[in-house]
Amino acid sequence: MPLLFHKKPALVVYVTCGDPNLATTREIVLAAIEAGADVIELGVPFSDPVADGPVIQRASERALKHGTSLAQVLTLAAEIRQHAQSTGLIIFSYLNPILRMGMKKFCAVARHAGVDGVLVTDLPVEEAGEYLQAMRANDLAPVFLASPTSPDARLKQIAAASKGFVYAVSRTGVTGARQQLAADAQKLVRRLRKVTKLPVAVGFGISTAAQFAEVGGFADAVVVGSAIVETIERNRGREAAAVAEFVCGLSAVSHQPSAKTG
Amino acid sequence: MATVPRTTKIKIPTLAAKNAARMGHPRVPVRAPEPGRFGVYGGRYVPETLMAALDELDREYQKAKRDRKFQQRLDELLRTYAGRPTPLFFARRLTQKLGGAKIYLKREDLLHTGAHKINNCLGQALLVERMGKHRVIAETGAGQHGVATATVCALLGFECVVYMGTEDMRRQELNVFRMRLLGAEVRGVESGSRTLKDAINEAMRDWVTNVRTTHYLLGSVLGAHPYPTMVRDFHRVIGREARAQILKAEGKLPAAIIACVGGGSNSIGIFYDFIKDRKVQLIGVEAGGRGEKLGDHAARFRGGLPGVLQGTYSYVLQDSAGQIATTHSVSAGLDYPSIGPEHAALRDAGRAEYVPASDAEALEATTLLARTEGIIPALESAHAVAEVVKRAPKMKKSEVVIVNVSGRGDKDIGILRENLRIN
């Protein structure tokens, strides 16, 4: 199933799987889809999340405390796929758990689970040779990060290697909320448009409906991560309902249908 | 392991390709040896935001390497500020006591700031100056690299922030004070096991946020390319000196060189110029900690598997799901779950050998060296001394062995008092 952005801007929701436990993650994800999420990023908790801010660090620690693993996340993906046919599913992971499972095995299992794409935070295009091969062989979409610090030549490489969409990082830094979005994000999207026809999703630091609308004005999709994870953290016992309310609040602004697909 | 991710093609703008491009021909992708790879190990596994900064650092370093003025300035600072060359000292009483090979000590502990770390810090600090950056961040385990970084930042007038696990701050509190005295800001890291690995995570998060203005002065042969190569080059001076010194003193090469290995900077520094001397055994000593169970030691070659941690592909202590294991060592500087990628390659090639020394053995070796030679080694270096204690008696009296005393033990006095019953 290809990654589709049904509306403009589309909403991409990130969750750290296994926080507070996998059964709840499943409920949260289904609730988010019901509330309007177009694509779900299933975050694989990692012991050393160098690209993440405090919110996702804490969530990862909680998830790892009871042994959440990549294999379990893939099983969860398969369950979600049974309930949600048209939602894009992306595995969002650091490289080491994937290496430990084995690149080929990981891609095969992910495909079998009905996963659409994969984003590996600490795998730049230069090191992605074998990964891209295994992804291609299993018809999975590799999504790469583009950063405001990436020169144009790198943006070209990133866009060429990506499928489905390109994930533009709104600013330098780790994941997590910011009061203001730097002008960096819009500039980066503009630079990406020059080198690719793929849709561009912008993420990192987007936590409010106002920011969602602002970024949605120039990006095809908006990724909301830490704000979702924080909502989960703050609403013990009613995580799914709280996330649904939060997502409804965000996507209330995005009604227009869009023909743009990946 | 079959799952080594590898780049297949790298576009390198060779002169021919540049000319071809100028003449309107399409640029041809050229297959090239991969920079930053040691066998299958090494590479660059970082978030995209850092890639441009790593490229810039690599470019600047390559230029500096060929720049005579840069090299002269570095040499002069190493001589007049750090105190190079360091002596190669014949340990007469230790040799007698062990009754085997002649033991020489390479005295990196005599350097300014008390350890070999200053070699790399001076080198990188001069690069920071070249790149026109003014803010330097670093991680530290034992505090030796943090102190050396704070020192060069004071020397050259940079703003300095050092990340340190709170567990390490507790056990190396003297070094925390030294860094603050030198004007550095020490930021405690509460995550994970609150040791070196967690300090590196936090330093990387700072770098990814402030990359445009900040240089990450990484303190070991770890991390993404160009760090493992660059840091090794700045420490090569240890082996270069030791080789000339031993030839002068003994008229022959040593049978073995022994050095402790955390990330592996002092060991690769003393090994490097001896790699071509195939008969010289190279022995790295890892932290055997308090036992063989995962979590009780930091011996990566005893239970570690190839994987990616903090930017590089090397041996990593990890669980079956690829989560990084916690480690333990009495010495904060060796308490790290991965090892420099070049060591992994040397080990796979059979060129170097890696053995563990336990906490208890290291503590015992500390007392032994203190009482036979009047030298209190850093607890890290004491692991290397522990190995010579095991090995020298089995060697011929005509053979020579060099132990790298990478740092001095002043910083460890608190831990030594806790662990050694001395009245």
Side-chain angles (χ1 to χ4, degrees), chain A residues 152-214:
Chain A
D152 289 344
R154 289 194 61 82
L155 290 186
K156 249 186 216 167
Q157 283 182 291
I158 288 163
S162 295
K163 276 193 180 141
F165 64 94
V166 178
Y167 187 132
V169 172
S170 68
R171 52 171 162 75
T172 64
V174 293
T175 56
R178 287 285 192 286
Q179 292 290 309
Q180 281 198 316
L181 284 168
D184 271 0
Q186 192 165 4
K187 217 160 75 189
L188 176 58
V189 173
R190 214 176 293 139
R191 287 170 57 218
L192 274 167
R193 300 276 191 222
K194 284 187 195 152
V195 297
T196 184
K197 290 203 161 63
L198 284 176
V200 178
V202 171
F204 280 38
I206 298 149
S207 62
T208 65
Q211 288 173 327
F212 181 88
E214 185 194 339

Short mmCIF file of all heavy atoms in Angstrom, two decimals, chain A residues 152-214:
data_model
loop_
_atom_site.label_atom_id
_atom_site.label_comp_id
_atom_site.label_asym_id
_atom_site.label_seq_id
_atom_site.Cartn_x
_atom_site.Cartn_y
_atom_site.Cartn_z
N ASP A 152 22.49 21.83 -0.91
CA ASP A 152 21.62 21.41 -2.02
C ASP A 152 22.01 20.05 -2.59
O ASP A 152 21.14 19.25 -2.94
CB ASP A 152 21.63 22.47 -3.12
CG ASP A 152 20.88 23.73 -2.69
OD1 ASP A 152 20.13 23.64 -1.69
OD2 ASP A 152 21.05 24.78 -3.32
N ALA A 153 23.31 19.80 -2.69
CA ALA A 153 23.75 18.53 -3.27
C ALA A 153 23.25 17.35 -2.43
O ALA A 153 22.86 16.32 -2.97
CB ALA A 153 25.27 18.50 -3.37
N ARG A 154 23.26 17.53 -1.13
CA ARG A 154 22.78 16.46 -0.25
C ARG A 154 21.26 16.32 -0.37
O ARG A 154 20.74 15.22 -0.38
CB ARG A 154 23.15 16.74 1.21
CG ARG A 154 24.61 16.59 1.54
CD ARG A 154 24.83 16.55 3.06
NE ARG A 154 24.13 15.41 3.64
CZ ARG A 154 24.62 14.17 3.66
NH1 ARG A 154 25.79 13.92 3.12
NH2 ARG A 154 23.93 13.20 4.19
N LEU A 155 20.56 17.46 -0.47
CA LEU A 155 19.10 17.40 -0.62
C LEU A 155 18.73 16.58 -1.84
O LEU A 155 17.79 15.78 -1.81
CB LEU A 155 18.51 18.81 -0.73
CG LEU A 155 18.56 19.68 0.53
CD1 LEU A 155 17.80 20.98 0.31
CD2 LEU A 155 18.00 18.94 1.75
N LYS A 156 19.50 16.74 -2.91
CA LYS A 156 19.25 15.97 -4.12
C LYS A 156 19.39 14.48 -3.87
O LYS A 156 18.55 13.68 -4.27
CB LYS A 156 20.25 16.40 -5.21
CG LYS A 156 19.61 17.15 -6.34
CD LYS A 156 20.63 17.40 -7.43
CE LYS A 156 20.35 18.76 -8.05
NZ LYS A 156 21.43 19.24 -8.88
N GLN A 157 20.49 14.12 -3.19
CA GLN A 157 20.73 12.70 -2.86
C GLN A 157 19.60 12.15 -2.00
O GLN A 157 19.13 11.03 -2.20
CB GLN A 157 22.03 12.55 -2.06
CG GLN A 157 23.31 12.65 -2.84
CD GLN A 157 24.49 12.44 -1.90
OE1 GLN A 157 24.76 13.29 -1.05
NE2 GLN A 157 25.17 11.31 -2.02
N ILE A 158 19.22 12.95 -1.01
CA ILE A 158 18.18 12.53 -0.07
C ILE A 158 16.86 12.30 -0.79
O ILE A 158 16.19 11.28 -0.61
CB ILE A 158 18.02 13.59 1.05
CG1 ILE A 158 19.24 13.54 1.97
CG2 ILE A 158 16.73 13.40 1.83
CD1 ILE A 158 19.42 14.78 2.85
N ALA A 159 16.51 13.25 -1.66
CA ALA A 159 15.25 13.14 -2.39
C ALA A 159 15.28 11.94 -3.33
O ALA A 159 14.30 11.21 -3.48
CB ALA A 159 14.99 14.42 -3.16
N ALA A 160 16.46 11.72 -3.96
CA ALA A 160 16.57 10.62 -4.91
C ALA A 160 16.43 9.27 -4.22
O ALA A 160 15.92 8.31 -4.79
CB ALA A 160 17.91 10.70 -5.65
N ALA A 161 16.91 9.20 -2.97
CA ALA A 161 16.87 7.92 -2.25
C ALA A 161 15.52 7.70 -1.57
O ALA A 161 15.18 6.57 -1.22
CB ALA A 161 17.99 7.87 -1.24
N SER A 162 14.75 8.77 -1.37
CA SER A 162 13.48 8.65 -0.62
C SER A 162 12.34 8.21 -1.52
O SER A 162 12.33 8.49 -2.71
CB SER A 162 13.12 10.00 0.02
OG SER A 162 14.07 10.37 0.98
N LYS A 163 11.39 7.55 -0.91
CA LYS A 163 10.13 7.24 -1.60
C LYS A 163 8.99 7.64 -0.69
O LYS A 163 9.15 7.68 0.53
CB LYS A 163 10.04 5.75 -1.88
CG LYS A 163 10.76 5.35 -3.14
CD LYS A 163 10.37 3.94 -3.54
CE LYS A 163 11.11 3.56 -4.81
NZ LYS A 163 11.54 2.17 -4.78
N GLY A 164 7.82 7.89 -1.28
CA GLY A 164 6.66 8.24 -0.46
C GLY A 164 6.65 9.72 -0.14
O GLY A 164 5.83 10.47 -0.61
N PHE A 165 7.60 10.15 0.68
CA PHE A 165 7.77 11.57 0.96
C PHE A 165 9.16 11.81 1.54
O PHE A 165 9.88 10.87 1.85
CB PHE A 165 6.67 12.09 1.91
CG PHE A 165 6.67 11.48 3.30
CD1 PHE A 165 7.34 12.10 4.35
CD2 PHE A 165 6.00 10.28 3.56
CE1 PHE A 165 7.32 11.56 5.63
CE2 PHE A 165 5.98 9.73 4.83
CZ PHE A 165 6.64 10.37 5.88
N VAL A 166 9.52 13.08 1.62
CA VAL A 166 10.76 13.46 2.27
C VAL A 166 10.39 14.11 3.61
O VAL A 166 9.42 14.87 3.69
CB VAL A 166 11.57 14.46 1.41
CG1 VAL A 166 12.85 14.88 2.14
CG2 VAL A 166 11.91 13.84 0.07
N TYR A 167 11.14 13.78 4.64
CA TYR A 167 10.86 14.31 5.97
C TYR A 167 11.81 15.48 6.22
O TYR A 167 13.01 15.29 6.40
CB TYR A 167 11.09 13.21 7.00
CG TYR A 167 10.68 13.53 8.44
CD1 TYR A 167 9.92 12.62 9.16
CD2 TYR A 167 11.08 14.71 9.07
CE1 TYR A 167 9.56 12.88 10.48
CE2 TYR A 167 10.71 14.98 10.38
CZ TYR A 167 9.95 14.06 11.08
OH TYR A 167 9.61 14.33 12.38
N ALA A 168 11.28 16.69 6.19
CA ALA A 168 12.11 17.87 6.42
C ALA A 168 12.12 18.21 7.91
O ALA A 168 11.07 18.40 8.52
CB ALA A 168 11.58 19.04 5.62
N VAL A 169 13.30 18.28 8.47
CA VAL A 169 13.46 18.64 9.87
C VAL A 169 13.35 20.15 9.97
O VAL A 169 14.07 20.88 9.29
CB VAL A 169 14.83 18.15 10.38
CG1 VAL A 169 15.10 18.67 11.77
CG2 VAL A 169 14.89 16.63 10.35
N SER A 170 12.42 20.63 10.81
CA SER A 170 12.10 22.06 10.80
C SER A 170 13.25 22.96 11.24
O SER A 170 13.30 24.12 10.91
CB SER A 170 10.89 22.31 11.71
OG SER A 170 11.27 22.08 13.06
N ARG A 171 14.17 22.39 12.02
CA ARG A 171 15.26 23.23 12.55
C ARG A 171 16.37 22.31 13.02
O ARG A 171 16.16 21.12 13.17
CB ARG A 171 14.74 24.05 13.74
CG ARG A 171 14.06 23.13 14.73
CD ARG A 171 13.71 23.77 16.02
NE ARG A 171 12.72 22.99 16.74
CZ ARG A 171 12.97 21.85 17.38
NH1 ARG A 171 14.19 21.35 17.39
NH2 ARG A 171 12.01 21.19 17.99
N THR A 172 17.54 22.88 13.30
CA THR A 172 18.60 22.06 13.88
C THR A 172 18.16 21.74 15.31
O THR A 172 17.52 22.55 15.96
CB THR A 172 19.95 22.80 13.93
OG1 THR A 172 19.82 23.92 14.79
CG2 THR A 172 20.37 23.25 12.54
N GLY A 173 18.50 20.55 15.77
CA GLY A 173 18.13 20.22 17.14
C GLY A 173 17.46 18.87 17.25
O GLY A 173 17.28 18.16 16.28
N VAL A 174 17.09 18.54 18.49
CA VAL A 174 16.45 17.27 18.77
C VAL A 174 14.93 17.44 18.69
O VAL A 174 14.44 18.55 18.54
CB VAL A 174 16.85 16.74 20.17
CG1 VAL A 174 18.32 16.38 20.19
CG2 VAL A 174 16.54 17.76 21.25
N THR A 175 14.21 16.31 18.82
CA THR A 175 12.76 16.38 18.78
C THR A 175 12.24 17.11 20.03
O THR A 175 12.89 17.10 21.08
CB THR A 175 12.15 14.98 18.76
OG1 THR A 175 12.64 14.25 19.89
CG2 THR A 175 12.52 14.24 17.50
N GLY A 176 11.08 17.72 19.91
CA GLY A 176 10.50 18.37 21.07
C GLY A 176 9.92 19.73 20.74
O GLY A 176 10.27 20.35 19.74
N ALA A 177 9.02 20.18 21.60
CA ALA A 177 8.27 21.40 21.34
C ALA A 177 9.14 22.65 21.37
O ALA A 177 10.13 22.73 22.09
CB ALA A 177 7.16 21.53 22.38
N ARG A 178 8.77 23.61 20.56
CA ARG A 178 9.39 24.93 20.56
C ARG A 178 8.28 25.97 20.50
O ARG A 178 7.26 25.74 19.87
CB ARG A 178 10.29 25.13 19.34
CG ARG A 178 11.59 24.36 19.40
CD ARG A 178 12.56 25.01 20.37
NE ARG A 178 13.89 24.45 20.22
CZ ARG A 178 14.24 23.25 20.64
NH1 ARG A 178 13.37 22.47 21.21
NH2 ARG A 178 15.48 22.81 20.47
N GLN A 179 8.53 27.10 21.12
CA GLN A 179 7.55 28.18 21.06
C GLN A 179 7.38 28.67 19.63
O GLN A 179 6.29 28.79 19.13
CB GLN A 179 8.03 29.35 21.94
CG GLN A 179 8.02 29.04 23.42
CD GLN A 179 6.62 28.92 23.98
OE1 GLN A 179 5.81 29.80 23.77
NE2 GLN A 179 6.33 27.83 24.66
N GLN A 180 8.50 28.91 18.99
CA GLN A 180 8.43 29.48 17.65
C GLN A 180 9.12 28.58 16.66
O GLN A 180 10.13 27.94 16.97
CB GLN A 180 9.10 30.84 17.64
CG GLN A 180 8.21 31.92 18.20
CD GLN A 180 8.68 33.28 17.80
OE1 GLN A 180 9.88 33.56 17.85
NE2 GLN A 180 7.76 34.14 17.41
N LEU A 181 8.57 28.52 15.48
CA LEU A 181 9.21 27.75 14.42
C LEU A 181 10.14 28.66 13.64
O LEU A 181 9.74 29.74 13.22
CB LEU A 181 8.16 27.15 13.51
CG LEU A 181 7.45 25.95 14.12
CD1 LEU A 181 6.24 25.58 13.32
CD2 LEU A 181 8.41 24.77 14.21
N ALA A 182 11.33 28.20 13.45
CA ALA A 182 12.30 29.03 12.74
C ALA A 182 11.88 29.18 11.29
O ALA A 182 11.14 28.37 10.74
CB ALA A 182 13.66 28.38 12.82
N ALA A 183 12.37 30.23 10.69
CA ALA A 183 12.13 30.45 9.27
C ALA A 183 12.83 29.36 8.46
O ALA A 183 12.55 29.17 7.28
CB ALA A 183 12.65 31.82 8.86
N ASP A 184 13.73 28.66 9.15
CA ASP A 184 14.45 27.53 8.56
C ASP A 184 13.55 26.58 7.79
O ASP A 184 13.87 26.15 6.69
CB ASP A 184 15.12 26.71 9.67
CG ASP A 184 16.51 27.22 10.01
OD1 ASP A 184 16.92 28.20 9.36
OD2 ASP A 184 17.15 26.65 10.90
N ALA A 185 12.39 26.24 8.40
CA ALA A 185 11.54 25.19 7.87
C ALA A 185 11.03 25.55 6.47
O ALA A 185 11.14 24.76 5.54
CB ALA A 185 10.38 24.94 8.81
N GLN A 186 10.51 26.77 6.36
CA GLN A 186 9.94 27.16 5.08
C GLN A 186 11.00 27.23 3.99
O GLN A 186 10.77 26.83 2.86
CB GLN A 186 9.23 28.51 5.23
CG GLN A 186 8.37 28.83 4.03
CD GLN A 186 7.39 29.97 4.28
OE1 GLN A 186 7.39 30.58 5.35
NE2 GLN A 186 6.55 30.25 3.30
N LYS A 187 12.17 27.72 4.40
CA LYS A 187 13.27 27.82 3.44
C LYS A 187 13.66 26.43 2.95
O LYS A 187 13.90 26.20 1.77
CB LYS A 187 14.47 28.51 4.12
CG LYS A 187 15.22 29.41 3.18
CD LYS A 187 16.07 30.46 3.90
CE LYS A 187 17.32 29.91 4.51
NZ LYS A 187 18.03 30.86 5.37
N LEU A 188 13.72 25.49 3.90
CA LEU A 188 14.11 24.13 3.53
C LEU A 188 13.10 23.50 2.57
O LEU A 188 13.47 22.87 1.58
CB LEU A 188 14.27 23.26 4.79
CG LEU A 188 14.57 21.78 4.56
CD1 LEU A 188 15.85 21.59 3.76
CD2 LEU A 188 14.68 21.05 5.91
N VAL A 189 11.81 23.70 2.85
CA VAL A 189 10.78 23.14 1.97
C VAL A 189 10.93 23.73 0.57
O VAL A 189 10.88 23.03 -0.43
CB VAL A 189 9.37 23.39 2.53
CG1 VAL A 189 8.30 22.97 1.53
CG2 VAL A 189 9.19 22.64 3.85
N ARG A 190 11.17 25.03 0.53
CA ARG A 190 11.35 25.68 -0.78
C ARG A 190 12.54 25.07 -1.53
O ARG A 190 12.47 24.78 -2.72
CB ARG A 190 11.55 27.19 -0.57
CG ARG A 190 10.95 28.02 -1.69
CD ARG A 190 11.07 29.51 -1.40
NE ARG A 190 10.27 29.97 -0.28
CZ ARG A 190 10.70 30.87 0.63
NH1 ARG A 190 11.92 31.37 0.57
NH2 ARG A 190 9.91 31.26 1.60
N ARG A 191 13.63 24.83 -0.81
CA ARG A 191 14.82 24.23 -1.46
C ARG A 191 14.51 22.81 -1.92
O ARG A 191 14.98 22.38 -2.96
CB ARG A 191 16.00 24.25 -0.48
CG ARG A 191 16.58 25.65 -0.27
CD ARG A 191 17.59 25.66 0.87
NE ARG A 191 18.66 24.72 0.65
CZ ARG A 191 19.22 23.98 1.59
NH1 ARG A 191 18.82 24.07 2.84
NH2 ARG A 191 20.20 23.15 1.30
N LEU A 192 13.73 22.08 -1.10
CA LEU A 192 13.40 20.70 -1.48
C LEU A 192 12.53 20.65 -2.74
O LEU A 192 12.69 19.79 -3.59
CB LEU A 192 12.70 19.99 -0.33
CG LEU A 192 13.62 19.34 0.71
CD1 LEU A 192 12.85 18.96 1.96
CD2 LEU A 192 14.35 18.12 0.13
N ARG A 193 11.60 21.61 -2.83
CA ARG A 193 10.70 21.64 -4.00
C ARG A 193 11.49 21.73 -5.30
O ARG A 193 11.04 21.28 -6.34
CB ARG A 193 9.75 22.83 -3.91
CG ARG A 193 8.86 22.85 -2.69
CD ARG A 193 7.63 22.00 -2.88
NE ARG A 193 6.65 22.23 -1.83
CZ ARG A 193 5.96 21.25 -1.23
NH1 ARG A 193 6.14 19.99 -1.62
NH2 ARG A 193 5.10 21.52 -0.29
N LYS A 194 12.64 22.39 -5.23
CA LYS A 194 13.45 22.55 -6.44
C LYS A 194 14.09 21.25 -6.90
O LYS A 194 14.47 21.11 -8.04
CB LYS A 194 14.56 23.58 -6.20
CG LYS A 194 14.05 24.99 -6.21
CD LYS A 194 15.20 25.99 -6.15
CE LYS A 194 14.66 27.36 -5.79
NZ LYS A 194 15.68 28.15 -5.08
N VAL A 195 14.24 20.30 -5.96
CA VAL A 195 14.94 19.07 -6.35
C VAL A 195 14.03 17.84 -6.37
O VAL A 195 14.47 16.77 -6.77
CB VAL A 195 16.14 18.77 -5.42
CG1 VAL A 195 17.18 19.87 -5.52
CG2 VAL A 195 15.70 18.58 -3.97
N THR A 196 12.78 17.97 -5.95
CA THR A 196 11.94 16.78 -5.93
C THR A 196 10.46 17.09 -6.11
O THR A 196 9.98 18.17 -5.75
CB THR A 196 12.12 15.98 -4.62
OG1 THR A 196 11.35 14.78 -4.70
CG2 THR A 196 11.66 16.78 -3.40
N LYS A 197 9.75 16.11 -6.68
CA LYS A 197 8.29 16.23 -6.80
C LYS A 197 7.60 15.48 -5.67
O LYS A 197 6.38 15.50 -5.54
CB LYS A 197 7.84 15.67 -8.15
CG LYS A 197 8.27 16.52 -9.32
CD LYS A 197 7.36 16.26 -10.53
CE LYS A 197 7.42 17.37 -11.55
NZ LYS A 197 8.75 17.54 -12.16
N LEU A 198 8.40 14.77 -4.85
CA LEU A 198 7.82 14.04 -3.72
C LEU A 198 7.16 15.02 -2.76
O LEU A 198 7.62 16.15 -2.61
CB LEU A 198 8.91 13.28 -2.96
CG LEU A 198 9.48 12.00 -3.57
CD1 LEU A 198 10.62 11.49 -2.70
CD2 LEU A 198 8.39 10.94 -3.71
N PRO A 199 6.10 14.58 -2.09
CA PRO A 199 5.53 15.43 -1.04
C PRO A 199 6.55 15.64 0.07
O PRO A 199 7.42 14.79 0.29
CB PRO A 199 4.35 14.61 -0.51
CG PRO A 199 4.12 13.52 -1.49
CD PRO A 199 5.38 13.31 -2.24
N VAL A 200 6.44 16.77 0.75
CA VAL A 200 7.35 17.07 1.84
C VAL A 200 6.57 17.15 3.16
O VAL A 200 5.59 17.89 3.25
CB VAL A 200 8.09 18.40 1.59
CG1 VAL A 200 9.00 18.73 2.78
CG2 VAL A 200 8.91 18.31 0.31
N ALA A 201 7.01 16.37 4.13
CA ALA A 201 6.44 16.45 5.48
C ALA A 201 7.42 17.21 6.35
O ALA A 201 8.63 17.00 6.25
CB ALA A 201 6.19 15.06 6.04
N VAL A 202 6.89 18.10 7.19
CA VAL A 202 7.77 18.85 8.09
C VAL A 202 7.51 18.39 9.53
O VAL A 202 6.35 18.27 9.95
CB VAL A 202 7.54 20.37 7.96
CG1 VAL A 202 8.29 21.14 9.05
CG2 VAL A 202 7.99 20.85 6.59
N GLY A 203 8.58 18.14 10.24
CA GLY A 203 8.44 17.70 11.63
C GLY A 203 9.49 18.32 12.52
O GLY A 203 10.36 19.05 12.06
N PHE A 204 9.40 18.04 13.80
CA PHE A 204 10.25 18.54 14.89
C PHE A 204 9.69 19.85 15.42
O PHE A 204 9.73 20.87 14.75
CB PHE A 204 11.72 18.76 14.47
CG PHE A 204 12.57 17.52 14.45
CD1 PHE A 204 12.06 16.31 14.01
CD2 PHE A 204 13.90 17.53 14.87
CE1 PHE A 204 12.83 15.16 13.98
CE2 PHE A 204 14.68 16.39 14.83
CZ PHE A 204 14.15 15.20 14.38
N GLY A 205 9.16 19.79 16.62
CA GLY A 205 8.79 21.03 17.31
C GLY A 205 7.39 21.53 17.07
O GLY A 205 7.04 22.61 17.53
N ILE A 206 6.55 20.76 16.35
CA ILE A 206 5.20 21.25 16.08
C ILE A 206 4.24 20.66 17.11
O ILE A 206 4.08 19.45 17.20
CB ILE A 206 4.76 20.88 14.65
CG1 ILE A 206 5.71 21.57 13.66
CG2 ILE A 206 3.31 21.30 14.41
CD1 ILE A 206 5.92 20.82 12.40
N SER A 207 3.60 21.54 17.89
CA SER A 207 2.82 21.03 19.01
C SER A 207 1.44 21.68 19.15
O SER A 207 0.62 21.22 19.92
CB SER A 207 3.59 21.21 20.32
OG SER A 207 3.81 22.59 20.54
N THR A 208 1.17 22.73 18.39
CA THR A 208 -0.13 23.42 18.55
C THR A 208 -0.87 23.50 17.22
O THR A 208 -0.27 23.35 16.16
CB THR A 208 0.07 24.86 19.06
OG1 THR A 208 0.77 25.59 18.04
CG2 THR A 208 0.87 24.91 20.34
N ALA A 209 -2.18 23.74 17.32
CA ALA A 209 -2.99 23.88 16.11
C ALA A 209 -2.50 25.05 15.26
O ALA A 209 -2.47 24.97 14.04
CB ALA A 209 -4.46 24.07 16.48
N ALA A 210 -2.06 26.10 15.93
CA ALA A 210 -1.57 27.27 15.19
C ALA A 210 -0.31 26.93 14.40
O ALA A 210 -0.17 27.28 13.23
CB ALA A 210 -1.29 28.42 16.15
N GLN A 211 0.59 26.20 15.05
CA GLN A 211 1.81 25.80 14.35
C GLN A 211 1.48 24.83 13.22
O GLN A 211 2.07 24.88 12.14
CB GLN A 211 2.79 25.14 15.32
CG GLN A 211 3.45 26.11 16.29
CD GLN A 211 4.28 25.40 17.33
OE1 GLN A 211 3.95 24.29 17.75
NE2 GLN A 211 5.37 26.03 17.75
N PHE A 212 0.52 23.94 13.49
CA PHE A 212 0.10 22.98 12.48
C PHE A 212 -0.41 23.72 11.24
O PHE A 212 -0.05 23.39 10.10
CB PHE A 212 -1.00 22.07 13.05
CG PHE A 212 -1.50 21.03 12.10
CD1 PHE A 212 -0.86 19.79 12.01
CD2 PHE A 212 -2.60 21.27 11.29
CE1 PHE A 212 -1.32 18.83 11.12
CE2 PHE A 212 -3.06 20.31 10.40
CZ PHE A 212 -2.42 19.08 10.32
N ALA A 213 -1.22 24.72 11.46
CA ALA A 213 -1.78 25.49 10.34
C ALA A 213 -0.68 26.25 9.62
O ALA A 213 -0.64 26.29 8.38
CB ALA A 213 -2.84 26.45 10.86
N GLU A 214 0.23 26.83 10.39
CA GLU A 214 1.31 27.62 9.79
C GLU A 214 2.17 26.75 8.88
O GLU A 214 2.41 27.07 7.72
CB GLU A 214 2.16 28.22 10.93
CG GLU A 214 3.24 29.16 10.46
CD GLU A 214 4.26 29.47 11.56
OE1 GLU A 214 3.92 29.31 12.75
OE2 GLU A 214 5.38 29.86 11.21
#
